[in-house]
Amino acid sequence: MRVVVLGAGVIGVTAAYYLRRAGHEVVVVDRQPGAALETSFANAGEISPGYASPWAAPGIPAKAIRWLLMHHAPLILRPRPDMAMLTWLAAMLRNCTAQRYALNKSRMVGLAEFSRDELVALRRDLGIAYDERSQGTLQLFRTEKQMAGSAKDMDVLRDYGVPFELLDRDGCVRAEPGLAAARDRFVGGLRLPNDETGDCHLFTTRLAERLAADGVEFRYSTAIRALELSGGAIAGVSTDAGTIRGDTYLVALGSHSPQLVRPLGLRLPVYPVKGYSLTVPIADPALAPVSTLLDESYKIAITRLGDRIRVGGMAEISGYDNSLPRRREATLLHSLNDLFPGAARPGPTGFWSGLRPMTPDGPPIIGRAGPANLFLSTGHGTLGWTMACGSAAVVSALISGQRPPIATDGLGLDRYSR
Ligand SMILES: Cc1cc2nc3c(=O)[nH]c(=O)nc-3n(C[C@H](O)[C@H](O)[C@H](O)COP(=O)(O)OP(=O)(O)OC[C@H]3O[C@@H](n4cnc5c(N)ncnc54)[C@H](O)[C@@H]3O)c2cc1C
């Protein structure tokens, strides 16, 4: 079968890998001149099934008001007369009940745990290096209140069989020796030893190179305009470089997926939630993080990627906007310099923004939708890097007409029409 994958982010390229492995002819189309140049370019680098949780959770509406008012705000809302934004926000609020949260979380954790195992297997099979580390993540609590609040998270981790360690101040410094100079800034932390880290862009570009050598065709610098429908099936993809045809089509356009399928009558509740990151060279490795540290107060992740530090976070609901206000950079730098003073070399920061493709309930949308030869893998939100390989294995099995490797209940678009 000839499968046309729309989008060369981490979701599209990993899907191409599994599809190729299943014996299909694969074409990947993207408007950028290479792979992973939009949201998959400079994310926070965490492979973190342990933190796979929907944003829509009980208590979030009250917390959101507090976050919006903070000086270094983790949440920014710019209301606009945009029906997609308002509908998405309303749907998210509806998902903030204990019952919905438990259901959505179970769907996300199952996929994320499976995905981490698939990534480990892929790395073993292909030997791809991407500044990866398997040294866990540490959620750092600056206050006793945050520390006490982690009891609920630990109950959830126990329920899902995710190993964890609750650490006091000394334990945190043992796990992350670079924190020694900032001992007075925190009281403890929660460590998830099975989490991993790595550079998503490096991984995706190296995987794409391997796939190209294995016969996958990459059509870069090609803007997708529309899906062509004929006789109830997709007959081709219209692009600025002509029509591309295949037997089956997979939409993996991240935050831009809804616009492409809308003319087919498909409404994807995926909305862009902007995040920011910066990437700085390490000045002194002894002062730098060894893995990922999550600064709970600001919801910022600080990750070691080889000889660089990536600092990422914030959630800004402001539509399709990639502008780079300097005060967001200041928030990222504040968290980094407060916890790891002297770790980074002063100079250019590689300040960046990306649009997380978020669903209002949390899990991504994976599966067939509309015409029989159209499939979706999008809406991975805060966890697209974590969930990429698992999502790819699932969608490749569905396209190949095989039984998916994990349960797919609640991952399809049909969950919104129930
Ligand atoms: C600040 C930040 C930190 C994050 N941290 C983490 C983390 O630590 N761990 C984690 O798991 N996830 C993290 N994420 C989330 C993760 O980066 C995303 O979920 C993931 O990158 C989404 O991948 P994607 O392939 O769906 O989208 P994208 O990477 O955006 O890929 C979509 C592709 O479609 C192409 N495209 C779109 N429209 C068109 C068109 N019309 N024609 C042709 N091509 C088109 C784009 O060029 C792009 O290459 C973070 C995100 C941000 C913003």
Side-chain angles (χ1 to χ4, degrees):
M1 196 191 324
R2 180 174 157 91
V3 186
V4 182
V5 177
L6 307 177
V10 69
I11 299 300
V13 173
T14 49
Y17 167 71
Y18 282 86
L19 288 163
R20 182 77 191 119
R21 218 174 62 170
H24 301 297
E25 186 188 337
V26 184
V27 187
V28 183
V29 189
D30 200 289
R31 62 184 169 195
Q32 296 291 343
L37 289 175
E38 295 205 4
T39 308
S40 304
F41 182 66
N43 65 30
E46 286 175 75
I47 302 292
S48 195
Y51 291 115
S53 290
W55 277 7
I60 281 295
K63 279 189 194 164
I65 292 169
R66 217 174 49 239
W67 290 334
L68 286 167
L69 298 173
M70 280 168 65
H71 173 56
H72 287 298
L75 177 67
I76 302 117
L77 175 62
R78 297 194 188 292
R80 301 174 339 152
D82 171 358
M83 266 320 278
M85 179 194 277
L86 298 175
T87 318
W88 186 89
L89 281 170
M92 190 187 161
L93 288 175
R94 281 198 302 278
N95 276 281
C96 288
T97 64
Q99 198 193 5
R100 297 293 314 168
Y101 175 79
L103 182 66
N104 294 331
K105 170 136 183 135
S106 68
R107 292 167 174 168
M108 293 175 78
V109 172
L111 177 60
E113 286 278 337
F114 168 65
S115 194
R116 193 255 333 278
D117 296 345
E118 286 294 303
L119 173 66
V120 171
L122 186 156
R123 192 166 66 214
R124 195 188 49 228
D125 291 349
L126 298 186
I128 289 181
Y130 51 93
D131 281 340
E132 74 280 6
R133 288 186 167 221
S134 307
Q135 298 189 28
T137 50
L138 175 64
Q139 186 182 15
L140 198 74
F141 304 125
R142 290 177 182 259
T143 65
E144 292 292 353
K145 193 171 169 209
Q146 288 171 352
M147 186 95 172
S150 70
K152 272 199 292 251
D153 296 337
M154 288 189 287
D155 287 344
V156 176
L157 293 170
R158 259 183 227 107
D159 286 351
Y160 288 100
V162 178
F164 65 87
E165 299 160 2
L166 187 65
L167 303 177
D168 60 11
R169 193 179 271 138
D170 289 338
C172 290
V173 176
R174 270 196 301 278
E176 283 287 354
L179 287 172
R183 291 178 65 88
D184 59 332
R185 297 286 197 276
F186 57 89
V187 296
L190 183 64
R191 182 165 179 270
L192 304 187
N194 284 2
D195 283 1
E196 301 207 344
T197 54
D199 185 329
C200 179
H201 171 251
L202 205 52
F203 170 85
T204 311
T205 49
R206 291 198 167 153
L207 181 58
E209 282 160 18
R210 294 289 189 95
L211 291 174
D214 188 36
V216 172
E217 188 186 341
F218 283 86
R219 301 243 189 131
Y220 291 127
S221 304
T222 302
I224 296 157
R225 288 186 178 139
L227 293 168
E228 292 175 6
L229 195 61
S230 171
I234 304 295
V237 192
S238 148
T239 77
D240 63 356
T243 300
I244 299 171
R245 297 193 193 283
D247 303 302
T248 298
Y249 301 80
L250 171 63
V251 177
L253 296 176
S255 294
H256 301 274
S257 305
Q259 292 82 343
L260 188 72
V261 300
R262 185 76 189 87
L264 304 176
L266 295 174
R267 284 182 184 271
L268 303 192
V270 172
Y271 196 76
V273 175
K274 187 181 186 182
Y276 297 90
S277 78
L278 50 84
T279 310
V280 284
I282 290 177
D284 181 348
L287 301 179
V290 294
S291 191
T292 289
L293 183 129
L294 278 167
D295 185 347
E296 178 60 17
S297 292
Y298 303 109
K299 307 276 178 203
I300 283 174
I302 306 175
T303 297
R304 171 79 161 262
L305 293 175
D307 55 6
R308 301 163 297 152
I309 302 172
R310 170 79 44 81
V311 189
M314 283 173 275
E316 183 171 315
I317 302 169
S318 55
Y320 290 86
D321 162 37
N322 271 110
S323 61
L324 290 168
R326 286 293 151 189
R327 65 177 186 286
R328 309 286 170 235
E329 181 188 35
T331 294
L332 297 172
L333 283 171
H334 167 75
S335 176
L336 172 65
N337 294 329
D338 196 45
L339 295 174
F340 295 99
R345 204 181 308 147
T349 63
F351 186 37
W352 171 88
S353 73
L355 302 176
R356 303 178 185 93
M358 296 280 289
T359 59
D361 48 347
I365 301 169
I366 302 173
R368 199 177 73 71
N373 61 346
L374 182 67
F375 290 78
L376 307 171
S377 188
T378 184
H380 291 79
T382 52
L383 288 165
W385 175 209
T386 301
M387 292 179 169
C389 291
S391 304
V394 167
V395 85
S396 169
L398 293 172
I399 288 174
S400 305
Q402 290 160 0
R403 198 188 145 105
I406 56 166
T408 55
D409 304 349
L411 294 182
L413 182 62
D414 57 346
R415 71 180 185 264
Y416 298 105
S417 49
R418 277 182 212 143

